Amino acid sequence: MAQPQAGPSTTGVEFRNTITGEIMNLDEGKPGGRDTEAVKVFKQTGENKYLSDKSCLRNGENLYLTSCSGCHGHLAEGKVGPGLNDNYWTYPANTTDVGLFSTIWGGANGMMGPHNEDLNPDEALQVITWIRHLYTGPKQDAVWLNDEQKKAYKPYKEGEHFSKDEKGQCKPLE
């Protein structure tokens, strides 16, 4: 089945279900996390402003470990679900943050159900930030990174964690 591509619309980004192609309503699901500056920018441009923010990586790690690691592995190496830390994507649309968000929010084939009830949009962006941080593939294949980020890219090394005191855009999770 051809994958629907999410992309800019006249009023911002259109988020489409990875499998059905239907437009998704981001107002549904877990309350909160819809009015942050990062979510507003993401909905307009598809740019995840959290990608290099250590405070968001800290939160993204915690959210990933509770929501994703059971199927995708502690380091996104893959278990029941596919690996997320290399340059092979089951759904090629997931090479973009809009595509990965759409898969997280609306689910995919098999056991990958939607996570819009356990993650709000801001938390989903933080999970994406952690998944992108775990990437170990060639930097030229990391299309979510801009040229400046690719120059500074270093593959993830196990054991790297971020303190609760990290300053940045993301407050510590409660």
Side-chain angles (χ1 to χ4, degrees):
M1 174 185 301
Q3 292 188 64
Q5 294 295 314
S9 71
T10 56
T11 58
V13 175
E14 213 170 64
F15 296 90
R16 294 185 170 269
N17 182 285
T18 301
I19 303 304
T20 67
E22 296 172 282
I23 294 176
M24 295 187 296
N25 183 352
L26 301 190
D27 293 330
E28 297 172 350
K30 181 180 176 183
R34 286 168 176 76
D35 60 353
T36 65
E37 184 61 27
V39 169
K40 290 175 186 175
V41 167
F42 187 67
K43 286 170 71 175
Q44 284 300 310
T45 67
E47 176 192 357
N48 183 351
K49 298 187 71 63
Y50 292 157
L51 280 182
S52 300
D53 188 317
K54 290 182 180 182
S55 69
C56 302
L57 286 166
R58 169 204 60 221
N59 291 357
E61 176 183 23
N62 289 329
L63 292 163
Y64 175 87
L65 290 174
T66 57
S67 294
C68 313
S69 66
C71 293
H72 294 286
H74 180 73
L75 300 175
E77 71 279 11
K79 289 170 93 175
V80 175
L84 305 173
N85 68 355
D86 58 19
N87 63 342
Y88 175 80
W89 292 93
T90 303
Y91 302 104
N94 290 350
T95 59
T96 70
D97 289 341
V98 169
L100 187 54
F101 180 95
S102 296
T103 299
I104 291 168
W105 192 259
N109 278 328
M111 294 173 41
M112 176 69 185
H115 283 276
N116 62 0
E117 292 295 329
D118 40 292
L119 296 170
N120 65 44
D122 195 70
E123 291 169 337
L125 287 180
Q126 292 175 60
V127 168
I128 291 168
T129 296
W130 184 250
I131 290 169
R132 298 308 194 201
H133 180 71
L134 294 174
Y135 181 70
T136 59
K139 65 182 171 184
Q140 69 269 15
D141 292 348
V143 298
W144 56 88
L145 296 175
N146 63 36
D147 289 339
E148 185 177 314
Q149 291 166 325
K150 283 182 182 180
K151 287 179 189 171
Y153 168 75
K154 291 183 178 63
Y156 175 75
K157 299 258 189 270
E158 188 172 1
E160 178 183 20
H161 296 282
F162 304 97
S163 89
K164 290 182 180 180
D165 300 328
E166 290 290 351
K167 303 290 185 227
Q169 302 172 78
C170 298
K171 294 181 219 164
L173 299 171
E174 294 178 11

